Amino acid sequence: MNSPHWPSELLVAEDAANDPLALRVIERLGHLEPEIVSDHGDPLRLSKNKEPVGEQAERFTAGKKKLLLCRYKGEWMRACPGTSSHVCCNLWTVNPGEGCPLDCTYCYLQSYLKRNPTLKIYTNTEDLIEAISQRVNSEPSRYFRIGTGEVIDSLVWDDLTDSSLELVPFFSRLPNAVLELKTKTANISNLVSNEMLSQGSRVTSNTVVSWSVNALEINSKDERYTASFEQRLSAMEQVASAGYRVGLHFDPLIHFKGWEDAYSEAVRRIFSRLKDSDIAWISVSSLRYKPEMQEVMEERFPESSVPYGEQFLAKDGKMRYVQPLRLKMVNFVWNELKKVSKTLPVYMCMESSAAWRSINGGAPVAGEELKEVFARKARLKVLGDSDQRV
Ligand code: SF4
């Protein structure tokens, strides 16, 4: 097997070389000769303060072809930092690696990982599992929604690592946590495999498989190497029939001529294939990125119109569309979703309280359907819990 986004160079840190996950990846990338390295730093690390935008773009692109297998030695589990002066959806993050071989025009990793762009897969999965276990068990009355898709696509390497075969059954045994696997791939073969599903129907109970979705135009022009809209739909259908709940992230909404019809069509196509009861949650949010990323996007994607919209510097230090346009777009997609069903659990990711008031008519806990997303307490089935706060 081989995929267009797979790396052309494989590095393996000395102390990771015998980890089962490393051995599996080395075997499956058998056409590459692994280079054993003793230095733990990123081989493409930017050591000076600044560099011309052309070099920065080149280094980031080079990082997407270089994969380093190494052990992670930092803190595994963190509360999502959110963004200042915006409403936070209470997600915890755990990163099984760093960097993404797919290549979306608007990807924030172009600024976030600009100093360390080499792709990484962490091979000490047992430490990751132990860290989650300790944290979640230390607070049994708290509810943890944990995502693995913050600085890496959750499933992009799953056919090399088989990580989901460990994580999904592990989460099914946790009474107060749910795992969110967030992806733009259709890499679900492990999730729907006999090896997974023969473990019983409970195995899928605490995992939500989420897709970032966008207008078809954006999918085809600005999301290089990702699965097509149709491939994602087909993957959603398969995981839903295997018993998983599905998450959707309309993020980032992008303004272009004909955007209303395009997003309306995306919603229509999704719900011609999924039932509203298949859905765990849906987030909606508009384009945002750090100002420093503007030139890098222009350099790396000269054909794209994404960097040339009506963006301005917002209060949180990110480039965003002017507020009336941003609210119009979020409101439009929100209403399209609510036309499917009023009880669809739709929320806004990284939007201000003012946006919530304008679109939802109140705070995010207003609807019963959103309690899972904003829950702070365990015993999720007891959704009437009145002490859940935002
Ligand atoms: S799939 Fe996500 S992480 Fe990967 S390049 Fe696209 S936006 Fe970035």
Side-chain angles (χ1 to χ4, degrees), residues 38 69 111 128 157 181 202 225 297 314 318 337:
S38 52
L69 307 178
S111 56
L128 177 153
W157 299 124
L181 297 170
R202 260 210 63 79
Y225 304 136
M297 278 196 283
K318 290 183 185 156
L337 290 163

Side-chain angles (χ1 to χ4, degrees), residues 64 100 102-104 106-107 109 153 184:
K64 285 186 176 280
C100 178
L102 312 179
D103 209 1
C104 304
Y106 51 76
C107 180
L109 298 181
D153 180 292
K184 284 200 183 99

Side-chain angles (χ1 to χ4, degrees), residues 60 64 99-110 149-154 156 182-185 212 222-224 226 232 251-252 300:
F60 189 78
K64 285 186 176 280
C100 178
L102 312 179
D103 209 1
C104 304
T105 308
Y106 51 76
C107 180
Y108 90 111
L109 298 181
Q110 291 169 107
E150 188 204 16
V151 294
I152 188 169
D153 180 292
S154 298
V156 73
K182 187 171 163 196
T183 190
K184 284 200 183 99
T185 73
S212 301
D222 286 294
E223 297 181 345
R224 194 189 292 164
T226 66
R232 288 182 222 182
D251 189 4
R300 298 191 66 239

Side-chain angles (χ1 to χ4, degrees), residues 25 141 190 263:
V25 175
S141 63
N190 280 329
Y263 283 108

Side-chain angles (χ1 to χ4, degrees), residues 94-199:
V94 170
N95 295 309
E98 189 174 87
C100 178
L102 312 179
D103 209 1
C104 304
T105 308
Y106 51 76
C107 180
Y108 90 111
L109 298 181
Q110 291 169 107
S111 56
Y112 188 75
L113 295 180
K114 68 175 185 185
R115 306 192 79 86
N116 298 289
T118 301
L119 305 175
K120 298 171 193 84
I121 296 177
Y122 303 136
T123 57
N124 44 336
T125 316
E126 69 287 356
D127 293 341
L128 177 153
I129 285 182
E130 179 57 26
I132 297 174
S133 192
Q134 277 191 11
R135 187 73 180 82
V136 167
N137 290 329
S138 72
E139 285 189 83
S141 63
R142 185 173 191 162
Y143 178 65
F144 292 88
R145 196 164 67 100
I146 302 173
T148 55
E150 188 204 16
V151 294
I152 188 169
D153 180 292
S154 298
L155 292 175
V156 73
W157 299 124
D158 205 50
D159 45 355
L160 293 181
T161 62
D162 288 348
S163 294
S164 65
L165 290 174
E166 278 187 83
L167 281 178
V168 171
F170 162 69
F171 269 82
S172 74
R173 297 188 290 273
L174 295 176
N176 57 330
V178 68
L179 167 68
E180 180 178 31
L181 297 170
K182 187 171 163 196
T183 190
K184 284 200 183 99
T185 73
N187 207 357
I188 53 153
S189 45
N190 280 329
L191 296 179
V192 297
S193 65
N194 281 340
E195 184 173 350
M196 184 76 83
L197 300 180
S198 63
Q199 298 180 52

